[in-house]
Amino acid sequence: MARILIVEARFYDHLNDMLVAGARAALAGHDVDVVTVPGALEVPGAIALAVESGRYDAYVAIGVVIRGETYHFEIVANESARGIMALTMDGVAIGNGILTTENEAQAIARADPAQLDKGGGAAKAALAMLELAQRLG
């Protein structure tokens, strides 16, 4: 049983509820904690803090970034992904479930466990990376 931390950027409650439900279902049988941060930009920092604690084996990043009328979408989408990628390149097992969509309808389709279940997919990716890390030593 692995200790998994879900870090969620709690901005769109209804979408996050679906993503977290999918992740929790995929992580059944594991010890799972959830922490909430204000937005997607804070997710990599929260994971980095948790890595320093040494309490978790793998991480699931959850959040939703929907394109708006300004350049802010690109900054949040790109920088949150860059931060997560930097951590994975350091050997941290992370499943990235931060959705970046054009609109809410796309986000719902991806977040809903009965549809594309990207929360569950991110959780499965975290477990796969943890297994790979353990196998490779």
Side-chain angles (χ1 to χ4, degrees):
M1 176 173 58
R3 287 194 44 88
I4 312 295
L5 180 64
I6 297 172
V7 178
E8 67 162 331
R10 192 82 182 170
F11 194 79
Y12 298 100
D13 290 342
H14 64 297
L15 299 171
N16 275 46
D17 288 345
M18 289 189 280
L19 287 166
V20 171
R24 282 188 178 279
L27 296 171
H30 295 281
D31 187 4
V32 178
D33 290 332
V34 179
V35 296
T36 301
V37 297
L41 285 174
E42 289 77 32
V43 170
I47 293 173
L49 290 171
V51 168
E52 289 179 19
S53 79
R55 293 174 30 197
Y56 299 97
D57 301 308
Y59 305 87
V60 181
I62 295 290
V64 179
V65 184
I66 298 175
R67 184 179 300 278
E69 297 177 2
T70 69
Y71 184 68
H72 186 67
F73 171 86
E74 283 82 7
I75 293 169
V76 174
N78 293 336
E79 292 303 312
S80 62
R82 186 195 58 77
I84 290 168
M85 185 55 68
L87 290 164
T88 64
M89 297 301 291
D90 286 339
V92 180
I94 302 173
N96 187 353
I98 297 178
L99 305 181
T100 54
T101 65
E102 295 293 322
N103 55 55
E104 186 175 358
Q106 289 177 351
I108 289 169
R110 286 156 179 77
D112 187 351
Q115 294 185 53
L116 296 176
D117 192 20
K118 295 299 184 176
K124 291 173 185 173
L127 292 174
M129 294 305 293
L130 175 60
E131 179 185 340
L132 180 62
Q134 291 170 338
R135 196 165 20 123
L136 296 176

